[in-house]
Amino acid sequence: MAKKNLSDSRHQIRSKCLMTIGTLGANKITEGVDGKGNKRGITTNLHSIIALYFTDSDSRVRCNALSALISMHHRGQKLELTAYDQACKAMRDDYEHVRFTASQLVWVLGHLYPENKVRAAFADEDIRLVDDAFAKICNLVNDSSWKVRAEAAKLLGSLHRVSDSFVFQTLDKKLMSDLKRKKSLNEQAKEGFVEEFSSGKTWSDDAPVTRDLNIETTTVMNSGACGAFVHGLEDEMMEVRSAAVDSLTELAAQSSNASFAQRAVDFLVDCLNDEIEAVRLNAVTSIHKIVDQVVILEDQLDNVHSAMEDACPEIRHGIHELLSSCRLQSKACLYDTVDRLLKNLNKYPNDRQSIWKTTKKLGEHHGELTYLLTSQLLSIHAFFHSSEPQMDDPNYIAVLILVFNAAMVCPQMTQLFPEHVTRHYQYLSDSLPHLVPQGLKMMTFTSNLCTTNTMTSSNHESCDTSNKSRQFLSRILERINNLQNQDTSQQKLILTSAINDLKNISKFAPKYSSTADCMADFLQAQLLLYKSVDQKTWTNKIQGCSENLLQPVALRIIELTYELEYLYIGLSCYEISLIRQLRFKAQVLLFVLDAQEYNKNNNNKGKKDVDSGDDYVGDEETLHKSCDELFVHMRNLHDYMKEHNLLQTCDDSFTKTCFNQLLNKMGMKPSLLIKFFQPLLSNYVVSDVQLNNTVQKARVVIHQPIVNNDVVMTFTSGLATPINFRASVENIIDPIHHLSIQIKYGDSTIQRFPLRTNDVRKISSFKHEIATTVQLSHVKWTGACDVHISLVRVITNDHVTNNDVNITQDNERILQLGKIITIAVQTK
């Protein structure tokens, strides 16, 4: 039907028919039906039909014809090569939306037929189709429409199989010699052949022939397409410049020729002076992607240093990251870089942590250059003793971080350290362990041979420490997995000892800190549950102990399981199932305790009213609701294990018994459930633990606001006061949707501020920087008090546990991340 209406005189119908064919049609269709209803076998090529409308009188129809072929490609239909010449002609159309769509079709065909030969537009020579497509898209960078220019600049970066000569030509406005058509000597002799002797009939007929060569007829590539990226980076529209930066970076990163990346970085560095902040930030990020392949030259380094003075903190931090990864050419470059960083630290004190990290990386990557500058950096004089700097000076700390990290690469530079530097190293290694290397041995001229040998063998010692730590973890796991051979009291002692050992292992083996913390939290939750269902404790509880102490323990177990599941990445599906099974047991324990509390209240009706606001379950309706929620938790656990094929390998007797006997008995009476669960809980067995080195724990470091008890923030009651918030987040997959900033006031009122897209800057796959402003506001403010600011992980729960203080009114669970920052505030 769509094919029949293509000849309609109205352009709307022709356009809709082409869109329908592109959305539903195949490459070839069979038409015609005989008297019996069978197809006659007449095959129609839809590509040739659509191509007829590339030259339609209406521009909208031409655009839809091109879009129809692109839609067919997206549906998996193979496009024919014959459409390439027609698409190239459409790139010279008078209407911008036609040229825009034609460039996309040429880009698609360039990917489908990269090695096919086509005739060059301005020379009698065949070239690769991907090279020709690249040259034609380059020509659109000079288009009159900025939308077409931006799209052309965007498409150039994804054509990775282009010849080097075409790629290099995009950085030079003059046509290179290797893209000119060179005629052989025989061809030149045929065109300019003259006889050896003159006939005398014509004046100077034996003179050599000279012709004015037209460059457009002797080149493989259009001269207007030369220097495409140069034109794109100098375009008046920021969208074009930003797209050109992205494409140039992509080609430089994918190019096998390292010289192209070195030439590209020269143009990208110039973009650091762009007038638009977004373009400058994009240039910083782009240079960081290819900085490992290039060397920053001295003239380029001046532009990088100038960008450190930018008012935008994201750009400054991006420059710091760039300097942390780059390779500098000489000691003069390193000295200028350190000098500009120290000036930047004086101008922007809030960038202290970022600059300190930069000096740490500079010391690690340029140890030999730092060794040559040690005397200048530490102000060491050959004959006179210099004064000892103050340890509270951020600039001095930045220099020490630089030289200490460089000393790990060049141990001989420690001989130049004054005595006070050795003392300061001991202080900084304890106060800033993430910036200052551990185990640095100071060598002096009076040091004995033993000290020198210790320094040279530090790498072997670190390897030995790593191996010993792994063996230590293995021995802990062996003890845990053999618990069943011990009595009850001995099992508790072994678990407690193992937890303490795991918590202390991160001090001497940071590599295994996340693994050790994860194992410690899992064992801690099991130990709490094991103590709660101990025969003696369980009996006292059943007999109606006066103090109800087990409900908080059960809630703590549930909280630990949520922290294990959501604050650690790298856990396998089997390990997550173990965590969820442990959480289900804690939920069962909490239900049994609530039911027992309900029975106790019913037995003491005369002494205590059930509906008087008791902390726990007080009526039968709430008890039945808790029972239904418990069945929902069990169903969710069963579905998760079934989805990941873990039901067959489940060896937990508690879980298997619940699945076999309770899964399809929702609505069971609470009294029967209590009788069912009590013996299962009494026979609880600690689960085995496995060593998983891929686990990483979520880490948060809040850089701003800074805790300062001597400074009190003042503001007017009832009015909002902005507070700058900056933090570094690691091992959180999606911080924008999962994290919030929480403010807790003196009267326990809590405000949460979700993060916005502009607040988060991605540094790597699992590392982000957060920079935003939160509004401190409270109407009921009467005097001075403390305000607690923190970063929290928000988990949406459809079914929550009763009486859990970490559950909000919106059924969201809150997990605390990092340390809580306390600031003192008062009203004016």
Side-chain angles (χ1 to χ4, degrees):
M1 179 178 177
K3 175 177 172 295
K4 293 179 181 179
N5 288 279
L6 284 174
S7 58
D8 196 282
S9 60
R10 290 164 291 186
H11 69 84
Q12 296 94 336
I13 295 180
R14 298 200 302 275
S15 298
K16 292 295 182 180
C17 290
L18 289 170
M19 294 171 60
T20 303
I21 293 174
T23 305
L24 303 176
N27 292 347
K28 297 181 180 180
I29 58 174
T30 304
E31 297 180 309
V33 181
D34 57 14
K36 298 182 180 180
N38 299 323
K39 293 184 179 181
R40 297 177 181 175
I42 302 176
T43 303
T44 303
N45 190 343
L46 286 183
H47 281 187
S48 59
I49 295 176
I50 295 175
L52 295 176
Y53 293 87
F54 286 175
T55 58
D56 193 90
S57 59
D58 194 280
S59 63
R60 288 162 290 192
V61 177
R62 298 197 297 272
C63 181
N64 285 315
L66 296 166
S67 300
L69 290 183
I70 297 176
S71 299
M72 295 178 69
H73 167 71
H74 290 162
R75 292 191 297 107
Q77 303 292 331
K78 187 176 181 180
L79 303 184
E80 295 182 357
L81 184 60
T82 54
Y84 179 75
D85 292 334
Q86 296 169 317
C88 292
K89 294 178 181 178
M91 296 176 72
R92 300 189 294 271
D93 197 274
D94 294 335
Y95 293 88
E96 67 174 48
H97 55 278
V98 178
R99 300 195 300 273
F100 185 94
T101 311
S103 65
Q104 295 177 338
L105 181 57
V106 170
W107 177 85
V108 169
L109 294 172
H111 279 281
L112 293 178
Y113 305 98
E115 301 299 332
N116 285 62
K117 297 294 183 178
V118 294
R119 184 56 56 91
F122 304 105
D124 187 15
E125 183 179 349
D126 291 338
I127 60 175
R128 298 165 65 234
L129 188 143
V130 66
D131 294 337
D132 188 67
F134 185 83
K136 285 182 168 56
I137 295 176
C138 284
N139 197 34
L140 290 182
V141 177
N142 298 315
D143 195 87
S144 59
S145 172
W146 70 267
K147 294 181 180 179
V148 178
R149 298 199 302 271
E151 183 66 16
K154 176 183 175 182
L155 295 176
L156 289 176
S158 52
L159 289 172
H160 297 157
R161 303 178 65 179
V162 183
S163 302
D164 289 343
S165 57
F166 285 84
V167 175
F168 276 94
Q169 183 61 69
T170 58
L171 300 179
D172 195 342
K173 292 183 179 181
K174 295 181 179 180
L175 189 67
M176 296 180 181
S177 60
D178 53 357
L179 288 179
K180 295 180 181 179
R181 174 70 169 89
K182 302 178 181 62
K183 296 182 179 181
S184 64
L185 295 177
N186 292 332
E187 293 175 338
Q188 296 177 12
K190 290 180 180 179
E191 293 180 1
F193 174 76
V194 293
E195 294 184 1
E196 185 177 0
F197 302 100
S198 173
S199 62
K201 297 181 180 180
T202 306
W203 175 259
S204 66
D205 59 354
D206 59 346
V209 179
T210 58
R211 291 182 174 86
D212 294 332
L213 300 180
N214 186 0
I215 188 125
E216 297 290 351
T217 61
T218 58
T219 59
V220 177
M221 184 177 184
N222 186 357
S223 60
C226 299
F229 283 125
V230 179
H231 293 294
L233 296 175
E234 296 174 351
D235 197 274
E236 62 180 352
M237 302 300 295
M238 62 163 290
E239 292 83 359
V240 181
R241 298 198 300 272
S242 184
V245 168
D246 292 334
S247 294
L248 181 58
T249 305
E250 183 68 19
L251 288 177
Q254 298 291 334
S255 178
S256 58
N257 195 336
S259 59
F260 179 74
Q262 188 66 50
R263 290 192 59 184
V265 76
D266 197 21
F267 292 90
L268 294 175
V269 166
D270 289 337
C271 294
L272 297 177
N273 300 323
D274 196 274
E275 59 182 359
I276 302 299
E277 180 181 304
V279 179
R280 297 198 302 271
L281 184 59
N282 190 19
V284 173
T285 307
S286 300
I287 297 173
H288 190 267
K289 294 179 181 178
I290 61 174
V291 71
D292 295 335
Q293 308 175 24
V294 299
V295 177
I296 303 296
L297 304 179
E298 293 186 16
D299 57 334
Q300 300 169 352
L301 197 60
D302 292 336
N303 285 346
V304 176
H305 289 165
S306 300
M308 278 196 293
E309 305 296 330
D310 200 288
C312 178
E314 288 79 11
I315 294 179
R316 296 198 305 270
H317 296 163
I319 293 295
H320 297 160
E321 294 285 342
L322 174 61
L323 292 174
S324 300
S325 305
C326 71
R327 292 173 292 167
L328 301 180
Q329 203 173 26
S330 63
K331 71 173 185 177
C333 294
L334 178 61
Y335 185 81
D336 292 341
T337 301
V338 175
D339 183 63
R340 295 300 290 267
L341 285 172
L342 297 182
K343 291 180 180 179
N344 194 252
L345 182 57
N346 292 330
K347 187 175 182 179
Y348 301 102
N350 294 333
D351 294 348
R352 180 177 59 182
Q353 292 292 333
S354 179
I355 292 176
W356 285 355
K357 291 180 182 178
T358 304
T359 56
K360 175 181 182 293
K361 294 296 183 180
L362 286 174
E364 293 176 351
H365 298 161
H366 306 87
E368 296 180 355
L369 297 180
T370 307
Y371 174 54
L372 300 176
L373 297 172
T374 303
S375 300
Q376 294 175 263
L377 294 173
L378 297 178
S379 301
I380 301 174
H381 197 274
F383 306 107
F384 302 101
H385 287 291
S386 58
S387 61
E388 180 176 343
Q390 297 294 328
M391 276 305 299
D392 57 354
D393 184 7
N395 288 5
Y396 178 62
I397 295 177
V399 172
L400 289 182
I401 293 173
L402 173 70
V403 296
F404 289 153
N405 285 276
M408 296 297 293
V409 182
C410 295
Q412 62 271 23
M413 68 184 300
T414 57
Q415 298 178 3
L416 304 177
F417 290 171
E419 182 180 354
H420 64 267
V421 173
T422 304
R423 297 197 312 270
H424 294 167
Y425 168 74
Q426 298 173 357
Y427 170 75
L428 291 179
S429 61
D430 294 333
S431 59
L432 301 174
H434 60 290
L435 297 175
V436 178
Q438 305 297 314
L440 179 62
K441 305 298 181 180
M442 297 296 176
M443 292 190 302
T444 62
F445 290 114
T446 58
S447 300
N448 55 19
L449 183 61
C450 180
T451 305
T452 305
N453 292 337
T454 304
M455 185 64 197
T456 56
S457 61
S458 59
N459 293 333
H460 300 286
E461 291 179 356
S462 61
C463 296
D464 294 340
T465 302
S466 178
N467 295 333
K468 291 179 181 179
S469 301
R470 184 176 181 85
Q471 294 175 3
F472 183 69
L473 285 174
S474 301
R475 287 196 295 269
I476 293 177
L477 293 180
E478 186 177 353
R479 283 187 293 165
I480 297 300
N481 296 334
N482 293 330
L483 278 178
Q484 309 307 324
N485 301 329
Q486 307 293 334
D487 56 8
T488 304
S489 59
Q490 193 68 19
Q491 289 181 7
K492 295 180 181 179
L493 292 176
I494 294 176
L495 283 174
T496 305
S497 175
I499 293 171
N500 294 333
D501 292 339
L502 290 171
K503 290 181 178 180
N504 294 327
I505 195 173
S506 59
K507 296 180 180 179
F508 58 87
K511 178 181 178 181
Y512 296 98
S513 59
S514 296
T515 302
D517 291 342
C518 182
M519 293 167 56
D521 291 344
F522 186 66
L523 293 178
Q524 181 67 37
Q526 293 200 82
L527 178 61
L528 291 175
L529 182 61
Y530 190 61
K531 290 181 178 180
S532 301
V533 299
D534 182 59
Q535 190 64 35
K536 183 177 180 180
T537 306
W538 193 246
T539 303
N540 293 338
K541 179 61 187 174
I542 294 176
Q543 291 176 357
C545 183
S546 58
E547 295 186 4
N548 194 357
L549 302 178
L550 292 184
Q551 278 90 350
V553 175
L555 293 175
R556 176 56 183 161
I557 298 173
I558 295 174
E559 183 181 0
L560 280 174
T561 57
Y562 276 107
E563 291 178 358
L564 285 167
E565 182 175 355
Y566 292 99
L567 298 188
Y568 291 88
I569 60 174
L571 293 171
S572 64
C573 296
Y574 173 73
E575 291 166 338
I576 294 177
S577 69
L578 291 179
I579 295 172
R580 294 192 176 187
Q581 291 177 62
L582 181 58
R583 184 189 308 154
F584 176 66
K585 294 170 187 176
Q587 292 165 343
V588 169
L589 173 63
L590 188 61
F591 168 76
V592 172
L593 296 175
D594 288 342
Q596 290 175 351
E597 188 70 19
Y598 166 73
N599 294 332
K600 178 182 177 182
N601 290 336
N602 281 344
N603 294 334
N604 300 327
K605 258 187 178 181
K607 298 181 181 180
K608 186 176 182 181
D609 187 11
V610 175
D611 297 326
S612 61
D614 190 77
D615 290 338
Y616 300 102
V617 179
D619 52 30
E620 187 174 359
E621 182 179 355
T622 306
L623 183 62
H624 282 283
K625 182 179 178 180
S626 300
C627 182
D628 294 340
E629 290 178 354
L630 187 64
F631 273 95
V632 172
H633 291 314
M634 181 171 58
R635 170 60 64 180
N636 292 338
L637 176 61
H638 179 271
D639 292 343
Y640 178 84
M641 297 181 67
K642 182 179 180 181
E643 179 183 358
H644 297 90
N645 300 322
L646 298 174
L647 290 176
Q648 303 297 331
T649 58
C650 178
D651 56 355
D652 189 283
S653 59
F654 185 97
T655 305
K656 289 194 298 185
T657 304
C658 292
F659 286 168
N660 293 334
Q661 301 187 23
L662 297 179
L663 193 59
N664 298 321
K665 295 183 179 180
M666 189 171 182
M668 192 174 181
K669 292 183 179 181
S671 58
L672 297 178
L673 283 178
I674 295 175
K675 294 180 181 179
F676 177 81
F677 284 131
Q678 281 182 348
L680 287 179
L681 290 173
S682 300
N683 297 324
Y684 170 72
V685 178
V686 177
S687 302
D688 293 343
V689 183
Q690 298 179 355
L691 180 62
N692 186 350
N693 291 332
T694 62
V695 174
Q696 295 295 329
K697 187 177 182 180
R699 304 186 187 278
V700 171
V701 179
I702 299 178
H703 305 302
Q704 196 177 0
I706 302 174
V707 178
N708 191 348
N709 298 328
D710 298 332
V711 178
V712 178
M713 180 181 297
T714 59
F715 72 101
T716 303
S717 179
L719 299 179
T721 300
I723 297 179
N724 294 327
F725 182 89
R726 288 184 56 250
S728 299
V729 179
E730 295 183 14
N731 302 324
I732 295 291
I733 298 177
D734 189 5
I736 298 177
H737 297 94
H738 294 161
L739 299 185
S740 295
I741 301 173
Q742 177 174 286
I743 297 181
K744 185 176 182 181
Y745 297 97
D747 59 351
S748 299
T749 303
I750 295 177
Q751 288 183 345
R752 293 187 183 90
F753 300 87
L755 298 178
R756 297 163 297 184
T757 304
N758 296 334
D759 298 337
V760 180
R761 183 172 66 93
K762 185 176 180 180
I763 298 177
S764 60
S765 300
F766 300 108
K767 188 175 181 181
H768 300 80
E769 292 284 346
I770 298 175
T772 184
T773 302
V774 294
Q775 299 296 330
L776 188 67
S777 176
H778 201 335
V779 179
K780 301 176 182 180
W781 206 278
T782 57
C785 67
D786 292 337
V787 173
H788 307 284
I789 302 177
S790 61
L791 205 61
V792 296
R793 172 77 153 86
V794 182
I795 305 171
T796 303
N797 280 326
D798 297 329
H799 304 282
V800 300
T801 305
N802 295 330
N803 310 315
D804 198 335
V805 296
N806 292 323
I807 298 297
T808 65
Q809 295 180 354
D810 299 329
N811 288 344
E812 293 179 340
R813 178 174 293 274
I814 304 300
L815 299 180
Q816 197 71 46
L817 290 174
K819 295 182 180 180
I820 300 176
I821 303 299
T822 303
I823 58 176
V825 294
Q826 66 178 8
T827 57
K828 294 181 180 179

